[in-house]
Amino acid sequence: MNYPNGKRSASVFKNNNLYSHQFGNRGMSLEKDINDTNAYYLETNKAVIHKKPTPIQIVKVNYPKRSAAVITEAYFKQASTTDYNGIYREKYIDFEAKETKNKTLFPLANIHQHQIDHMEAVVAQGGVSFILIRFAVLDETYLLPAEKLFTHWNAQLNGGKKSIAYETIKQQGYFIPFQYKARVDYLTIIDKLYF
Amino acid sequence: MNYPNGKRSASVFKNNNLYSHQFGNRGMSLEKDINDTNAYYLETNKAVIHKKPTPIQIVKVNYPKRSAAVITEAYFKQASTTDYNGIYREKYIDFEAKETKNKTLFPLANIHQHQIDHMEAVVAQGGVSFILIRFAVLDETYLLPAEKLFTHWNAQLNGGKKSIAYETIKQQGYFIPFQYKARVDYLTIIDKLYF
């Protein structure tokens, strides 16, 4: 399980010698890479984009004297939106990130209907929405605009394929090259598509 | 303690007879009112604005067979951003909400430096940022633009007052009248200020 990786831990992580492998990214989780990228965007005043905290249903909390409240019973809840949002060059940015071990396709089961609903509402308000998909075994990350995702989603609802082929993502999406500082430099794609 | 009140519970809440008191709002928490307002904005396709989940540091998780994972030790973390964000009429919206029982002033101790830093970064990117302040005893809610808040915050850092007077908030902020459906209809103020 990966927990939200704040700015502080992302900075520590940069000094980790895993980062000395400049020519590859293998083994790093997509979430860590995005958090690190967002921290870099924030430090350089490029964008303000954060991962939302994991939603938790809290059931029991103890309040011991002279120490912090302890949550002793809680459950993971399904998120009602996407994981990441923020602002870049006056635009509202909203996206989901998914990793798959599959080498030939991205299973749509990774996405939920309420996330699609949310992304549709964002696009209707004039926001920029997309999904970052990493093929972990291939070590390749793509940005697929929400509008393309909706087409595949709706096809699935009408009895179509339950996945998007890797080749289709290569054609309809945008490959994000690995960068040293902005690990998953998705905003360069947004620059090309929206400005 | 108030936990995030999702769309579902907000809808249930609307049917609660507390809502039959059309001429007052006393006793309802600001967070509940905002969540309800955001749910109404979402249902009517007016805006997509959500409260972020409360950040939790998870320490221990049990995985019982045939049932959901149980978090058995976790702690509340300080949020690194504001509580609410989203999109309205192509604009990025980002705000914090605070309630005070004080009748004559709003103590700046309710705000943290990292929240000010975040709001400043949002404004620098061209986003709309503000704080909603409720004087609970007076049952009055105001929108104070981030730029005004920064002035008071910086004055405090330079040895000035540790609070903003109620009268100052009345002058520099915008009173939000209680509405039946959009309980705290802050977007009407945004319409006036930005469009």
Side-chain angles (χ1 to χ4, degrees):
Chain A
M1 201 179 316
N2 286 304
Y3 297 118
N5 189 21
K7 198 179 163 189
R8 188 178 301 272
S9 51
S11 298
V12 169
F13 200 63
K14 260 186 225 166
N15 299 324
N16 188 304
N17 60 12
L18 280 169
Y19 268 73
S20 63
H21 297 283
Q22 289 194 30
F23 302 105
N25 198 34
R26 208 167 291 270
M28 306 296 291
S29 89
L30 179 57
E31 181 180 323
K32 276 202 181 79
D33 281 351
I34 294 171
N35 287 341
D36 202 38
T37 302
N38 288 342
Y40 179 74
Y41 288 158
L42 192 62
E43 281 162 23
T44 55
N45 300 317
K46 189 176 169 78
V48 183
I49 299 168
H50 287 277
K51 182 175 190 297
K52 292 179 198 171
T54 306
I56 306 285
Q57 179 70 48
I58 297 166
V59 177
K60 270 188 211 154
V61 184
N62 280 346
Y63 298 92
K65 279 180 195 166
R66 280 184 286 275
S67 60
V70 190
I71 299 160
T72 54
E73 186 183 348
Y75 299 89
F76 295 98
K77 282 200 298 185
Q78 210 176 51
S80 58
T81 65
T82 49
D83 268 356
Y84 302 87
N85 75 353
I87 182 169
Y88 173 55
R89 295 176 70 180
E90 301 193 9
K91 284 199 185 292
Y92 176 74
I93 306 290
D94 192 299
F95 64 99
E96 187 58 45
K98 293 291 178 192
E99 217 160 343
T100 180
K101 286 178 179 170
N102 201 303
K103 282 177 272 189
T104 58
L105 54 82
F106 173 72
L108 286 169
N110 280 303
I111 313 285
H112 303 287
Q113 182 64 54
H114 58 265
Q115 292 179 313
I116 297 286
D117 295 343
H118 172 73
M119 292 168 101
E120 281 177 343
V122 163
V123 170
Q125 284 290 332
V128 173
S129 189
F130 52 87
I131 178 169
L132 296 182
I133 298 172
R134 174 170 290 174
F135 291 95
V137 179
L138 306 173
D139 199 19
E140 291 177 8
T141 308
Y142 293 86
L143 182 154
L144 186 71
E147 294 82 353
K148 304 282 183 190
L149 176 63
F150 300 158
T151 308
H152 296 287
W153 186 264
N154 291 333
Q156 175 208 221
L157 293 184
N158 295 319
K161 283 187 187 172
K162 293 188 191 310
S163 62
I164 313 176
Y166 165 72
E167 288 299 332
T168 306
I169 290 170
K170 265 187 119 160
Q171 284 161 26
Q172 298 185 347
Y174 302 85
F175 177 70
I176 302 174
F178 169 76
Q179 302 282 344
Y180 179 62
K181 284 193 169 171
R183 312 285 295 170
V184 184
D185 193 10
Y186 57 91
L187 289 180
T188 54
I189 312 293
I190 298 306
D191 282 335
K192 281 179 210 161
L193 294 177
Y194 292 92
F195 293 98
Chain B
M1 200 177 318
N2 286 305
Y3 296 119
N5 187 22
K7 198 177 161 188
R8 186 178 303 272
S9 51
S11 297
V12 168
F13 200 64
K14 261 184 229 169
N15 298 326
N16 189 305
N17 60 11
L18 280 169
Y19 268 72
S20 63
H21 297 283
Q22 289 196 30
F23 302 106
N25 197 35
R26 209 167 290 270
M28 307 294 291
S29 88
L30 179 58
E31 182 180 322
K32 278 203 180 77
D33 282 349
I34 294 171
N35 288 340
D36 202 36
T37 302
N38 288 342
Y40 178 75
Y41 288 158
L42 192 63
E43 281 161 23
T44 55
N45 300 318
K46 189 176 170 77
V48 183
I49 299 169
H50 288 276
K51 183 175 189 296
K52 294 182 195 169
T54 306
I56 304 285
Q57 180 69 47
I58 297 166
V59 176
K60 271 189 210 155
V61 184
N62 280 348
Y63 298 92
K65 279 179 192 167
R66 281 186 285 275
S67 60
V70 191
I71 299 160
T72 55
E73 186 184 349
Y75 300 90
F76 294 100
K77 282 200 297 184
Q78 206 174 53
S80 58
T81 65
T82 49
D83 268 356
Y84 303 86
N85 76 353
I87 181 169
Y88 173 57
R89 296 177 69 181
E90 302 193 10
K91 284 199 186 292
Y92 175 74
I93 306 289
D94 192 300
F95 64 99
E96 186 58 43
K98 293 291 177 191
E99 215 160 346
T100 179
K101 288 180 180 168
N102 201 304
K103 282 177 272 187
T104 57
L105 54 84
F106 174 74
L108 287 168
N110 280 302
I111 313 286
H112 302 289
Q113 182 64 54
H114 59 267
Q115 292 179 314
I116 297 287
D117 295 344
H118 171 73
M119 293 170 103
E120 281 178 343
V122 163
V123 169
Q125 285 290 331
V128 173
S129 188
F130 52 87
I131 177 168
L132 297 182
I133 298 172
R134 173 170 290 173
F135 290 93
V137 178
L138 306 173
D139 200 19
E140 292 178 7
T141 308
Y142 293 86
L143 182 155
L144 186 72
E147 294 81 352
K148 303 283 183 188
L149 176 63
F150 300 158
T151 307
H152 296 288
W153 186 264
N154 292 333
Q156 176 207 222
L157 293 183
N158 294 317
K161 283 186 187 173
K162 293 188 192 312
S163 62
I164 313 176
Y166 166 73
E167 287 301 330
T168 306
I169 290 169
K170 267 188 117 160
Q171 284 161 27
Q172 299 185 347
Y174 301 86
F175 177 71
I176 303 173
F178 169 76
Q179 303 282 344
Y180 179 61
K181 284 193 170 174
R183 311 284 297 167
V184 184
D185 193 9
Y186 56 91
L187 289 180
T188 54
I189 311 293
I190 299 305
D191 282 336
K192 282 181 210 162
L193 293 178
Y194 292 92
F195 293 98

